[in-house]
PDB file of all heavy atoms in Angstrom:
ATOM      1  N   GLN A  24     -19.282 -23.676  -7.885  1.00 66.00           N
ATOM      2  CA  GLN A  24     -18.616 -24.496  -6.867  1.00 66.00           C
ATOM      3  C   GLN A  24     -17.338 -23.829  -6.375  1.00 66.00           C
ATOM      4  O   GLN A  24     -17.047 -23.815  -5.175  1.00 66.00           O
ATOM      5  CB  GLN A  24     -18.310 -25.881  -7.461  1.00 66.00           C
ATOM      6  CG  GLN A  24     -19.531 -26.754  -7.662  1.00 66.00           C
ATOM      7  CD  GLN A  24     -19.188 -28.047  -8.370  1.00 66.00           C
ATOM      8  OE1 GLN A  24     -18.346 -28.069  -9.277  1.00 66.00           O
ATOM      9  NE2 GLN A  24     -19.846 -29.134  -7.962  1.00 66.00           N
ATOM     10  N   GLN A  25     -16.579 -23.293  -7.317  1.00 67.00           N
ATOM     11  CA  GLN A  25     -15.356 -22.598  -6.917  1.00 67.00           C
ATOM     12  C   GLN A  25     -15.674 -21.387  -6.044  1.00 67.00           C
ATOM     13  O   GLN A  25     -15.011 -21.126  -5.035  1.00 67.00           O
ATOM     14  CB  GLN A  25     -14.564 -22.161  -8.151  1.00 67.00           C
ATOM     15  CG  GLN A  25     -13.895 -23.310  -8.879  1.00 67.00           C
ATOM     16  CD  GLN A  25     -13.003 -22.818  -9.997  1.00 67.00           C
ATOM     17  OE1 GLN A  25     -13.094 -21.667 -10.411  1.00 67.00           O
ATOM     18  NE2 GLN A  25     -12.129 -23.700 -10.473  1.00 67.00           N
ATOM     19  N   ALA A  26     -16.728 -20.641  -6.411  1.00 71.00           N
ATOM     20  CA  ALA A  26     -17.095 -19.452  -5.625  1.00 71.00           C
ATOM     21  C   ALA A  26     -17.535 -19.845  -4.222  1.00 71.00           C
ATOM     22  O   ALA A  26     -17.173 -19.193  -3.229  1.00 71.00           O
ATOM     23  CB  ALA A  26     -18.206 -18.679  -6.339  1.00 71.00           C
ATOM     24  N   ASP A  27     -18.311 -20.955  -4.124  1.00 70.00           N
ATOM     25  CA  ASP A  27     -18.772 -21.400  -2.803  1.00 70.00           C
ATOM     26  C   ASP A  27     -17.607 -21.787  -1.908  1.00 70.00           C
ATOM     27  O   ASP A  27     -17.555 -21.423  -0.718  1.00 70.00           O
ATOM     28  CB  ASP A  27     -19.721 -22.599  -2.954  1.00 70.00           C
ATOM     29  CG  ASP A  27     -21.064 -22.201  -3.564  1.00 70.00           C
ATOM     30  OD1 ASP A  27     -21.350 -20.978  -3.585  1.00 70.00           O
ATOM     31  OD2 ASP A  27     -21.799 -23.093  -4.020  1.00 70.00           O
ATOM     32  N   LEU A  28     -16.671 -22.555  -2.484  1.00 67.00           N
ATOM     33  CA  LEU A  28     -15.533 -23.001  -1.680  1.00 67.00           C
ATOM     34  C   LEU A  28     -14.635 -21.831  -1.287  1.00 67.00           C
ATOM     35  O   LEU A  28     -14.092 -21.779  -0.178  1.00 67.00           O
ATOM     36  CB  LEU A  28     -14.733 -24.060  -2.440  1.00 67.00           C
ATOM     37  CG  LEU A  28     -15.415 -25.436  -2.541  1.00 67.00           C
ATOM     38  CD1 LEU A  28     -14.603 -26.370  -3.427  1.00 67.00           C
ATOM     39  CD2 LEU A  28     -15.607 -26.054  -1.161  1.00 67.00           C
ATOM     40  N   ARG A  29     -14.456 -20.908  -2.240  1.00 70.00           N
ATOM     41  CA  ARG A  29     -13.637 -19.723  -1.900  1.00 70.00           C
ATOM     42  C   ARG A  29     -14.294 -18.922  -0.775  1.00 70.00           C
ATOM     43  O   ARG A  29     -13.622 -18.391   0.098  1.00 70.00           O
ATOM     44  CB  ARG A  29     -13.451 -18.841  -3.146  1.00 70.00           C
ATOM     45  CG  ARG A  29     -12.430 -19.373  -4.127  1.00 70.00           C
ATOM     46  CD  ARG A  29     -12.236 -18.414  -5.292  1.00 70.00           C
ATOM     47  NE  ARG A  29     -11.795 -17.103  -4.818  1.00 70.00           N
ATOM     48  CZ  ARG A  29     -10.529 -16.821  -4.497  1.00 70.00           C
ATOM     49  NH1 ARG A  29      -9.597 -17.760  -4.586  1.00 70.00           N
ATOM     50  NH2 ARG A  29     -10.211 -15.614  -4.084  1.00 70.00           N
ATOM     51  N   GLU A  30     -15.626 -18.808  -0.793  1.00 74.00           N
ATOM     52  CA  GLU A  30     -16.344 -18.079   0.261  1.00 74.00           C
ATOM     53  C   GLU A  30     -16.146 -18.760   1.624  1.00 74.00           C
ATOM     54  O   GLU A  30     -15.916 -18.106   2.633  1.00 74.00           O
ATOM     55  CB  GLU A  30     -17.824 -17.991  -0.086  1.00 74.00           C
ATOM     56  CG  GLU A  30     -18.631 -17.168   0.916  1.00 74.00           C
ATOM     57  CD  GLU A  30     -20.085 -17.046   0.515  1.00 74.00           C
ATOM     58  OE1 GLU A  30     -20.405 -17.386  -0.651  1.00 74.00           O
ATOM     59  OE2 GLU A  30     -20.898 -16.628   1.357  1.00 74.00           O
ATOM     60  N   GLN A  31     -16.232 -20.111   1.629  1.00 71.00           N
ATOM     61  CA  GLN A  31     -16.015 -20.835   2.876  1.00 71.00           C
ATOM     62  C   GLN A  31     -14.577 -20.652   3.376  1.00 71.00           C
ATOM     63  O   GLN A  31     -14.330 -20.488   4.568  1.00 71.00           O
ATOM     64  CB  GLN A  31     -16.319 -22.325   2.675  1.00 71.00           C
ATOM     65  CG  GLN A  31     -17.776 -22.630   2.391  1.00 71.00           C
ATOM     66  CD  GLN A  31     -17.990 -24.109   2.160  1.00 71.00           C
ATOM     67  OE1 GLN A  31     -17.543 -24.927   2.948  1.00 71.00           O
ATOM     68  NE2 GLN A  31     -18.667 -24.440   1.061  1.00 71.00           N
ATOM     69  N   GLY A  32     -13.630 -20.689   2.459  1.00 68.00           N
ATOM     70  CA  GLY A  32     -12.235 -20.498   2.854  1.00 68.00           C
ATOM     71  C   GLY A  32     -11.988 -19.116   3.423  1.00 68.00           C
ATOM     72  O   GLY A  32     -11.287 -18.947   4.426  1.00 68.00           O
ATOM     73  N   ALA A  33     -12.587 -18.100   2.768  1.00 72.00           N
ATOM     74  CA  ALA A  33     -12.424 -16.735   3.268  1.00 72.00           C
ATOM     75  C   ALA A  33     -13.049 -16.583   4.657  1.00 72.00           C
ATOM     76  O   ALA A  33     -12.507 -15.903   5.536  1.00 72.00           O
ATOM     77  CB  ALA A  33     -13.044 -15.742   2.296  1.00 72.00           C
ATOM     78  N   ALA A  34     -14.210 -17.231   4.874  1.00 73.00           N
ATOM     79  CA  ALA A  34     -14.860 -17.173   6.180  1.00 73.00           C
ATOM     80  C   ALA A  34     -13.994 -17.819   7.251  1.00 73.00           C
ATOM     81  O   ALA A  34     -13.886 -17.342   8.382  1.00 73.00           O
ATOM     82  CB  ALA A  34     -16.226 -17.856   6.120  1.00 73.00           C
ATOM     83  N   LEU A  35     -13.349 -18.939   6.896  1.00 71.00           N
ATOM     84  CA  LEU A  35     -12.461 -19.608   7.838  1.00 71.00           C
ATOM     85  C   LEU A  35     -11.265 -18.719   8.184  1.00 71.00           C
ATOM     86  O   LEU A  35     -10.869 -18.588   9.338  1.00 71.00           O
ATOM     87  CB  LEU A  35     -11.987 -20.936   7.245  1.00 71.00           C
ATOM     88  CG  LEU A  35     -10.881 -21.661   8.026  1.00 71.00           C
ATOM     89  CD1 LEU A  35     -11.381 -21.998   9.424  1.00 71.00           C
ATOM     90  CD2 LEU A  35     -10.433 -22.905   7.301  1.00 71.00           C
ATOM     91  N   LEU A  36     -10.694 -18.102   7.163  1.00 71.00           N
ATOM     92  CA  LEU A  36      -9.557 -17.222   7.394  1.00 71.00           C
ATOM     93  C   LEU A  36      -9.939 -16.078   8.325  1.00 71.00           C
ATOM     94  O   LEU A  36      -9.206 -15.715   9.249  1.00 71.00           O
ATOM     95  CB  LEU A  36      -9.063 -16.682   6.048  1.00 71.00           C
ATOM     96  CG  LEU A  36      -7.647 -16.097   6.011  1.00 71.00           C
ATOM     97  CD1 LEU A  36      -6.632 -17.112   6.478  1.00 71.00           C
ATOM     98  CD2 LEU A  36      -7.330 -15.600   4.611  1.00 71.00           C
ATOM     99  N   GLU A  37     -11.124 -15.518   8.111  1.00 75.00           N
ATOM    100  CA  GLU A  37     -11.601 -14.424   8.968  1.00 75.00           C
ATOM    101  C   GLU A  37     -11.799 -14.911  10.400  1.00 75.00           C
ATOM    102  O   GLU A  37     -11.472 -14.209  11.365  1.00 75.00           O
ATOM    103  CB  GLU A  37     -12.898 -13.868   8.408  1.00 75.00           C
ATOM    104  CG  GLU A  37     -13.438 -12.680   9.202  1.00 75.00           C
ATOM    105  CD  GLU A  37     -14.722 -12.132   8.600  1.00 75.00           C
ATOM    106  OE1 GLU A  37     -15.094 -12.592   7.488  1.00 75.00           O
ATOM    107  OE2 GLU A  37     -15.353 -11.272   9.238  1.00 75.00           O
ATOM    108  N   ALA A  38     -12.332 -16.146  10.560  1.00 72.00           N
ATOM    109  CA  ALA A  38     -12.568 -16.688  11.904  1.00 72.00           C
ATOM    110  C   ALA A  38     -11.261 -16.896  12.657  1.00 72.00           C
ATOM    111  O   ALA A  38     -11.143 -16.600  13.843  1.00 72.00           O
ATOM    112  CB  ALA A  38     -13.339 -18.001  11.810  1.00 72.00           C
ATOM    113  N   THR A  39     -10.248 -17.433  11.952  1.00 70.00           N
ATOM    114  CA  THR A  39      -8.973 -17.663  12.626  1.00 70.00           C
ATOM    115  C   THR A  39      -8.316 -16.341  13.015  1.00 70.00           C
ATOM    116  O   THR A  39      -7.731 -16.210  14.093  1.00 70.00           O
ATOM    117  CB  THR A  39      -8.023 -18.469  11.723  1.00 70.00           C
ATOM    118  OG1 THR A  39      -7.832 -17.786  10.498  1.00 70.00           O
ATOM    119  CG2 THR A  39      -8.580 -19.842  11.455  1.00 70.00           C
ATOM    120  N   GLN A  40      -8.408 -15.335  12.151  1.00 71.00           N
ATOM    121  CA  GLN A  40      -7.843 -14.033  12.472  1.00 71.00           C
ATOM    122  C   GLN A  40      -8.569 -13.383  13.647  1.00 71.00           C
ATOM    123  O   GLN A  40      -7.968 -12.744  14.508  1.00 71.00           O
ATOM    124  CB  GLN A  40      -7.884 -13.133  11.238  1.00 71.00           C
ATOM    125  CG  GLN A  40      -6.923 -13.569  10.146  1.00 71.00           C
ATOM    126  CD  GLN A  40      -7.145 -12.819   8.843  1.00 71.00           C
ATOM    127  OE1 GLN A  40      -8.191 -12.195   8.632  1.00 71.00           O
ATOM    128  NE2 GLN A  40      -6.164 -12.888   7.954  1.00 71.00           N
ATOM    129  N   ALA A  41      -9.906 -13.557  13.711  1.00 71.00           N
ATOM    130  CA  ALA A  41     -10.678 -13.007  14.832  1.00 71.00           C
ATOM    131  C   ALA A  41     -10.268 -13.668  16.145  1.00 71.00           C
ATOM    132  O   ALA A  41     -10.156 -13.027  17.188  1.00 71.00           O
ATOM    133  CB  ALA A  41     -12.175 -13.194  14.590  1.00 71.00           C
ATOM    134  N   LEU A  42     -10.029 -14.981  16.085  1.00 69.00           N
ATOM    135  CA  LEU A  42      -9.591 -15.692  17.287  1.00 69.00           C
ATOM    136  C   LEU A  42      -8.227 -15.195  17.734  1.00 69.00           C
ATOM    137  O   LEU A  42      -7.964 -14.990  18.922  1.00 69.00           O
ATOM    138  CB  LEU A  42      -9.548 -17.196  17.017  1.00 69.00           C
ATOM    139  CG  LEU A  42      -9.017 -18.084  18.157  1.00 69.00           C
ATOM    140  CD1 LEU A  42      -9.892 -17.912  19.397  1.00 69.00           C
ATOM    141  CD2 LEU A  42      -8.962 -19.536  17.735  1.00 69.00           C
ATOM    142  N   GLN A  43      -7.336 -14.964  16.766  1.00 68.00           N
ATOM    143  CA  GLN A  43      -6.011 -14.462  17.087  1.00 68.00           C
ATOM    144  C   GLN A  43      -6.103 -13.085  17.746  1.00 68.00           C
ATOM    145  O   GLN A  43      -5.412 -12.795  18.724  1.00 68.00           O
ATOM    146  CB  GLN A  43      -5.179 -14.387  15.802  1.00 68.00           C
ATOM    147  CG  GLN A  43      -3.694 -14.157  16.046  1.00 68.00           C
ATOM    148  CD  GLN A  43      -2.896 -14.341  14.771  1.00 68.00           C
ATOM    149  OE1 GLN A  43      -3.441 -14.223  13.671  1.00 68.00           O
ATOM    150  NE2 GLN A  43      -1.625 -14.640  14.905  1.00 68.00           N
ATOM    151  N   THR A  44      -6.982 -12.239  17.220  1.00 71.00           N
ATOM    152  CA  THR A  44      -7.180 -10.911  17.808  1.00 71.00           C
ATOM    153  C   THR A  44      -7.707 -11.013  19.231  1.00 71.00           C
ATOM    154  O   THR A  44      -7.268 -10.295  20.130  1.00 71.00           O
ATOM    155  CB  THR A  44      -8.159 -10.091  16.949  1.00 71.00           C
ATOM    156  OG1 THR A  44      -7.617  -9.943  15.642  1.00 71.00           O
ATOM    157  CG2 THR A  44      -8.396  -8.718  17.568  1.00 71.00           C
ATOM    158  N   ARG A  45      -8.650 -11.934  19.457  1.00 65.00           N
ATOM    159  CA  ARG A  45      -9.214 -12.105  20.800  1.00 65.00           C
ATOM    160  C   ARG A  45      -8.155 -12.561  21.800  1.00 65.00           C
ATOM    161  O   ARG A  45      -8.106 -12.081  22.923  1.00 65.00           O
ATOM    162  CB  ARG A  45     -10.360 -13.123  20.746  1.00 65.00           C
ATOM    163  CG  ARG A  45     -10.978 -13.435  22.118  1.00 65.00           C
ATOM    164  CD  ARG A  45     -11.497 -12.192  22.790  1.00 65.00           C
ATOM    165  NE  ARG A  45     -11.971 -12.472  24.126  1.00 65.00           N
ATOM    166  CZ  ARG A  45     -12.065 -11.581  25.086  1.00 65.00           C
ATOM    167  NH1 ARG A  45     -11.698 -10.328  24.866  1.00 65.00           N
ATOM    168  NH2 ARG A  45     -12.518 -11.913  26.269  1.00 65.00           N
ATOM    169  N   GLN A  46      -7.294 -13.467  21.376  1.00 66.00           N
ATOM    170  CA  GLN A  46      -6.233 -13.920  22.269  1.00 66.00           C
ATOM    171  C   GLN A  46      -5.286 -12.769  22.609  1.00 66.00           C
ATOM    172  O   GLN A  46      -4.835 -12.624  23.739  1.00 66.00           O
ATOM    173  CB  GLN A  46      -5.448 -15.071  21.620  1.00 66.00           C
ATOM    174  CG  GLN A  46      -6.243 -16.353  21.478  1.00 66.00           C
ATOM    175  CD  GLN A  46      -6.614 -16.972  22.811  1.00 66.00           C
ATOM    176  OE1 GLN A  46      -5.913 -16.813  23.786  1.00 66.00           O
ATOM    177  NE2 GLN A  46      -7.733 -17.668  22.848  1.00 66.00           N
ATOM    178  N   ALA A  47      -4.994 -11.902  21.643  1.00 68.00           N
ATOM    179  CA  ALA A  47      -4.137 -10.743  21.902  1.00 68.00           C
ATOM    180  C   ALA A  47      -4.796  -9.788  22.886  1.00 68.00           C
ATOM    181  O   ALA A  47      -4.145  -9.216  23.771  1.00 68.00           O
ATOM    182  CB  ALA A  47      -3.812 -10.029  20.592  1.00 68.00           C
ATOM    183  N   GLU A  48      -6.122  -9.596  22.747  1.00 67.00           N
ATOM    184  CA  GLU A  48      -6.840  -8.719  23.667  1.00 67.00           C
ATOM    185  C   GLU A  48      -6.785  -9.253  25.099  1.00 67.00           C
ATOM    186  O   GLU A  48      -6.614  -8.498  26.056  1.00 67.00           O
ATOM    187  CB  GLU A  48      -8.298  -8.567  23.221  1.00 67.00           C
ATOM    188  CG  GLU A  48      -8.465  -7.737  21.963  1.00 67.00           C
ATOM    189  CD  GLU A  48      -9.910  -7.706  21.497  1.00 67.00           C
ATOM    190  OE1 GLU A  48     -10.730  -8.456  22.057  1.00 67.00           O
ATOM    191  OE2 GLU A  48     -10.212  -6.926  20.562  1.00 67.00           O
ATOM    192  N   LEU A  49      -6.945 -10.556  25.262  1.00 65.00           N
ATOM    193  CA  LEU A  49      -6.877 -11.141  26.595  1.00 65.00           C
ATOM    194  C   LEU A  49      -5.493 -10.942  27.206  1.00 65.00           C
ATOM    195  O   LEU A  49      -5.356 -10.649  28.396  1.00 65.00           O
ATOM    196  CB  LEU A  49      -7.210 -12.636  26.534  1.00 65.00           C
ATOM    197  CG  LEU A  49      -8.694 -12.988  26.378  1.00 65.00           C
ATOM    198  CD1 LEU A  49      -8.856 -14.487  26.168  1.00 65.00           C
ATOM    199  CD2 LEU A  49      -9.492 -12.533  27.583  1.00 65.00           C
ATOM    200  N   ALA A  50      -4.449 -11.076  26.389  1.00 65.00           N
ATOM    201  CA  ALA A  50      -3.095 -10.882  26.905  1.00 65.00           C
ATOM    202  C   ALA A  50      -2.885  -9.441  27.357  1.00 65.00           C
ATOM    203  O   ALA A  50      -2.215  -9.171  28.352  1.00 65.00           O
ATOM    204  CB  ALA A  50      -2.067 -11.258  25.840  1.00 65.00           C
ATOM    205  N   GLU A  51      -3.494  -8.488  26.634  1.00 65.00           N
ATOM    206  CA  GLU A  51      -3.323  -7.081  26.969  1.00 65.00           C
ATOM    207  C   GLU A  51      -4.078  -6.682  28.231  1.00 65.00           C
ATOM    208  O   GLU A  51      -3.799  -5.648  28.817  1.00 65.00           O
ATOM    209  CB  GLU A  51      -3.790  -6.205  25.804  1.00 65.00           C
ATOM    210  CG  GLU A  51      -2.869  -6.285  24.593  1.00 65.00           C
ATOM    211  CD  GLU A  51      -3.424  -5.509  23.415  1.00 65.00           C
ATOM    212  OE1 GLU A  51      -4.521  -4.925  23.572  1.00 65.00           O
ATOM    213  OE2 GLU A  51      -2.773  -5.498  22.365  1.00 65.00           O
ATOM    214  N   GLN A  52      -5.056  -7.479  28.655  1.00 62.00           N
ATOM    215  CA  GLN A  52      -5.829  -7.124  29.847  1.00 62.00           C
ATOM    216  C   GLN A  52      -4.960  -7.108  31.095  1.00 62.00           C
ATOM    217  O   GLN A  52      -5.274  -6.439  32.067  1.00 62.00           O
ATOM    218  CB  GLN A  52      -6.989  -8.098  30.037  1.00 62.00           C
ATOM    219  CG  GLN A  52      -8.115  -7.882  29.051  1.00 62.00           C
ATOM    220  CD  GLN A  52      -9.310  -8.752  29.346  1.00 62.00           C
ATOM    221  OE1 GLN A  52      -9.697  -8.913  30.491  1.00 62.00           O
ATOM    222  NE2 GLN A  52      -9.910  -9.321  28.329  1.00 62.00           N
ATOM    223  N   ILE A  53      -3.883  -7.841  31.081  1.00 55.00           N
ATOM    224  CA  ILE A  53      -2.936  -7.785  32.197  1.00 55.00           C
ATOM    225  C   ILE A  53      -1.702  -7.054  31.682  1.00 55.00           C
ATOM    226  O   ILE A  53      -0.826  -7.631  31.063  1.00 55.00           O
ATOM    227  CB  ILE A  53      -2.572  -9.180  32.711  1.00 55.00           C
ATOM    228  CG1 ILE A  53      -3.830  -9.870  33.243  1.00 55.00           C
ATOM    229  CG2 ILE A  53      -1.528  -9.100  33.794  1.00 55.00           C
ATOM    230  CD1 ILE A  53      -3.589 -11.253  33.768  1.00 55.00           C
ATOM    231  N   ALA A  54      -1.665  -5.759  31.919  1.00 51.00           N
ATOM    232  CA  ALA A  54      -0.577  -4.947  31.390  1.00 51.00           C
ATOM    233  C   ALA A  54       0.725  -5.200  32.138  1.00 51.00           C
ATOM    234  O   ALA A  54       1.811  -5.075  31.593  1.00 51.00           O
ATOM    235  CB  ALA A  54      -0.950  -3.469  31.476  1.00 51.00           C
ATOM    236  N   GLU A  55       0.631  -5.526  33.410  1.00 45.00           N
ATOM    237  CA  GLU A  55       1.806  -5.815  34.223  1.00 45.00           C
ATOM    238  C   GLU A  55       1.456  -6.950  35.162  1.00 45.00           C
ATOM    239  O   GLU A  55       0.552  -6.825  35.968  1.00 45.00           O
ATOM    240  CB  GLU A  55       2.205  -4.589  35.046  1.00 45.00           C
ATOM    241  CG  GLU A  55       3.478  -4.769  35.824  1.00 45.00           C
ATOM    242  CD  GLU A  55       3.798  -3.557  36.679  1.00 45.00           C
ATOM    243  OE1 GLU A  55       3.100  -2.541  36.573  1.00 45.00           O
ATOM    244  OE2 GLU A  55       4.743  -3.645  37.457  1.00 45.00           O
ATOM    245  N   PRO A  56       2.065  -8.092  35.088  1.00 43.00           N
ATOM    246  CA  PRO A  56       3.232  -8.406  34.268  1.00 43.00           C
ATOM    247  C   PRO A  56       2.907  -8.532  32.781  1.00 43.00           C
ATOM    248  O   PRO A  56       1.779  -8.755  32.414  1.00 43.00           O
ATOM    249  CB  PRO A  56       3.720  -9.744  34.826  1.00 43.00           C
ATOM    250  CG  PRO A  56       2.495 -10.364  35.373  1.00 43.00           C
ATOM    251  CD  PRO A  56       1.665  -9.232  35.909  1.00 43.00           C
ATOM    252  N   ARG A  57       3.929  -8.432  31.960  1.00 43.00           N
ATOM    253  CA  ARG A  57       3.742  -8.387  30.516  1.00 43.00           C
ATOM    254  C   ARG A  57       3.248  -9.707  29.963  1.00 43.00           C
ATOM    255  O   ARG A  57       2.374  -9.746  29.102  1.00 43.00           O
ATOM    256  CB  ARG A  57       5.079  -7.997  29.859  1.00 43.00           C
ATOM    257  CG  ARG A  57       5.060  -7.923  28.357  1.00 43.00           C
ATOM    258  CD  ARG A  57       6.304  -7.214  27.877  1.00 43.00           C
ATOM    259  NE  ARG A  57       7.476  -7.741  28.515  1.00 43.00           N
ATOM    260  CZ  ARG A  57       8.193  -8.755  28.045  1.00 43.00           C
ATOM    261  NH1 ARG A  57       7.825  -9.336  26.939  1.00 43.00           N
ATOM    262  NH2 ARG A  57       9.256  -9.185  28.671  1.00 43.00           N
ATOM    263  N   GLY A  58       3.781 -10.827  30.404  1.00 43.00           N
ATOM    264  CA  GLY A  58       3.372 -12.116  29.894  1.00 43.00           C
ATOM    265  C   GLY A  58       2.351 -12.773  30.803  1.00 43.00           C
ATOM    266  O   GLY A  58       2.252 -12.442  31.967  1.00 43.00           O
ATOM    267  N   GLN A  59       1.595 -13.715  30.261  1.00 42.00           N
ATOM    268  CA  GLN A  59       0.617 -14.421  31.069  1.00 42.00           C
ATOM    269  C   GLN A  59       1.204 -15.701  31.659  1.00 42.00           C
ATOM    270  O   GLN A  59       0.979 -16.011  32.819  1.00 42.00           O
ATOM    271  CB  GLN A  59      -0.615 -14.768  30.229  1.00 42.00           C
ATOM    272  CG  GLN A  59      -1.378 -13.531  29.797  1.00 42.00           C
ATOM    273  CD  GLN A  59      -2.728 -13.901  29.232  1.00 42.00           C
ATOM    274  OE1 GLN A  59      -3.367 -14.821  29.694  1.00 42.00           O
ATOM    275  NE2 GLN A  59      -3.177 -13.172  28.237  1.00 42.00           N
ATOM    276  N   GLU A  60       1.963 -16.456  30.874  1.00 45.00           N
ATOM    277  CA  GLU A  60       2.462 -17.725  31.370  1.00 45.00           C
ATOM    278  C   GLU A  60       3.670 -17.551  32.286  1.00 45.00           C
ATOM    279  O   GLU A  60       3.863 -18.319  33.218  1.00 45.00           O
ATOM    280  CB  GLU A  60       2.849 -18.641  30.205  1.00 45.00           C
ATOM    281  CG  GLU A  60       1.660 -19.358  29.575  1.00 45.00           C
ATOM    282  CD  GLU A  60       0.809 -18.433  28.734  1.00 45.00           C
ATOM    283  OE1 GLU A  60       1.338 -17.445  28.224  1.00 45.00           O
ATOM    284  OE2 GLU A  60      -0.392 -18.697  28.592  1.00 45.00           O
ATOM    285  N   ASP A  61       4.529 -16.544  32.031  1.00 55.00           N
ATOM    286  CA  ASP A  61       5.764 -16.453  32.793  1.00 55.00           C
ATOM    287  C   ASP A  61       5.539 -15.917  34.194  1.00 55.00           C
ATOM    288  O   ASP A  61       6.351 -16.139  35.080  1.00 55.00           O
ATOM    289  CB  ASP A  61       6.800 -15.590  32.058  1.00 55.00           C
ATOM    290  CG  ASP A  61       6.327 -14.166  31.837  1.00 55.00           C
ATOM    291  OD1 ASP A  61       5.111 -13.929  31.939  1.00 55.00           O
ATOM    292  OD2 ASP A  61       7.172 -13.298  31.560  1.00 55.00           O
ATOM    293  N   LYS A  62       4.438 -15.208  34.434  1.00 63.00           N
ATOM    294  CA  LYS A  62       4.185 -14.664  35.766  1.00 63.00           C
ATOM    295  C   LYS A  62       2.772 -14.966  36.232  1.00 63.00           C
ATOM    296  O   LYS A  62       2.184 -14.183  36.973  1.00 63.00           O
ATOM    297  CB  LYS A  62       4.412 -13.151  35.780  1.00 63.00           C
ATOM    298  CG  LYS A  62       5.868 -12.746  35.629  1.00 63.00           C
ATOM    299  CD  LYS A  62       6.010 -11.245  35.802  1.00 63.00           C
ATOM    300  CE  LYS A  62       7.466 -10.836  35.711  1.00 63.00           C
ATOM    301  NZ  LYS A  62       7.622  -9.368  35.847  1.00 63.00           N
ATOM    302  N   GLY A  63       2.198 -16.042  35.808  1.00 78.00           N
ATOM    303  CA  GLY A  63       0.844 -16.335  36.206  1.00 78.00           C
ATOM    304  C   GLY A  63       0.435 -17.742  35.834  1.00 78.00           C
ATOM    305  O   GLY A  63       1.242 -18.551  35.386  1.00 78.00           O
ATOM    306  N   PHE A  64      -0.822 -18.023  36.024  1.00 86.00           N
ATOM    307  CA  PHE A  64      -1.371 -19.331  35.726  1.00 86.00           C
ATOM    308  C   PHE A  64      -2.855 -19.174  35.430  1.00 86.00           C
ATOM    309  O   PHE A  64      -3.461 -18.151  35.746  1.00 86.00           O
ATOM    310  CB  PHE A  64      -1.153 -20.280  36.908  1.00 86.00           C
ATOM    311  CG  PHE A  64      -1.702 -19.769  38.209  1.00 86.00           C
ATOM    312  CD1 PHE A  64      -2.998 -20.066  38.615  1.00 86.00           C
ATOM    313  CD2 PHE A  64      -0.924 -18.969  39.028  1.00 86.00           C
ATOM    314  CE1 PHE A  64      -3.509 -19.577  39.809  1.00 86.00           C
ATOM    315  CE2 PHE A  64      -1.431 -18.477  40.224  1.00 86.00           C
ATOM    316  CZ  PHE A  64      -2.719 -18.786  40.617  1.00 86.00           C
ATOM    317  N   ARG A  65      -3.430 -20.204  34.818  1.00 87.00           N
ATOM    318  CA  ARG A  65      -4.835 -20.150  34.458  1.00 87.00           C
ATOM    319  C   ARG A  65      -5.647 -21.036  35.374  1.00 87.00           C
ATOM    320  O   ARG A  65      -5.234 -22.141  35.744  1.00 87.00           O
ATOM    321  CB  ARG A  65      -5.044 -20.579  33.005  1.00 87.00           C
ATOM    322  CG  ARG A  65      -4.542 -19.570  31.996  1.00 87.00           C
ATOM    323  CD  ARG A  65      -4.939 -19.984  30.590  1.00 87.00           C
ATOM    324  NE  ARG A  65      -6.378 -19.969  30.398  1.00 87.00           N
ATOM    325  CZ  ARG A  65      -7.066 -18.899  30.003  1.00 87.00           C
ATOM    326  NH1 ARG A  65      -6.444 -17.767  29.774  1.00 87.00           N
ATOM    327  NH2 ARG A  65      -8.379 -18.971  29.834  1.00 87.00           N
ATOM    328  N   VAL A  66      -6.834 -20.545  35.744  1.00 89.00           N
ATOM    329  CA  VAL A  66      -7.823 -21.327  36.480  1.00 89.00           C
ATOM    330  C   VAL A  66      -9.127 -21.187  35.701  1.00 89.00           C
ATOM    331  O   VAL A  66      -9.768 -20.132  35.725  1.00 89.00           O
ATOM    332  CB  VAL A  66      -7.999 -20.817  37.918  1.00 89.00           C
ATOM    333  CG1 VAL A  66      -9.048 -21.644  38.643  1.00 89.00           C
ATOM    334  CG2 VAL A  66      -6.676 -20.847  38.672  1.00 89.00           C
ATOM    335  N   GLY A  67      -9.517 -22.220  34.969  1.00 89.00           N
ATOM    336  CA  GLY A  67     -10.697 -22.115  34.124  1.00 89.00           C
ATOM    337  C   GLY A  67     -10.494 -21.050  33.069  1.00 89.00           C
ATOM    338  O   GLY A  67      -9.522 -21.050  32.321  1.00 89.00           O
ATOM    339  N   ASN A  68     -11.414 -20.089  33.022  1.00 91.00           N
ATOM    340  CA  ASN A  68     -11.336 -18.998  32.043  1.00 91.00           C
ATOM    341  C   ASN A  68     -10.513 -17.819  32.529  1.00 91.00           C
ATOM    342  O   ASN A  68     -10.418 -16.804  31.836  1.00 91.00           O
ATOM    343  CB  ASN A  68     -12.739 -18.490  31.711  1.00 91.00           C
ATOM    344  CG  ASN A  68     -13.523 -19.472  30.868  1.00 91.00           C
ATOM    345  OD1 ASN A  68     -12.994 -20.471  30.419  1.00 91.00           O
ATOM    346  ND2 ASN A  68     -14.794 -19.177  30.663  1.00 91.00           N
TER     347      ASN A  68
END
């Protein structure tokens, strides 16, 4: 039981880190301006 729960926790940690990496990649797609919110806006995706 402990091994199963630890495996689920590790999977969750990996998922959150992957999401964080994806958000960083999206921010880097617009090299200039540097920020997304301060010089832009979102429309859908």
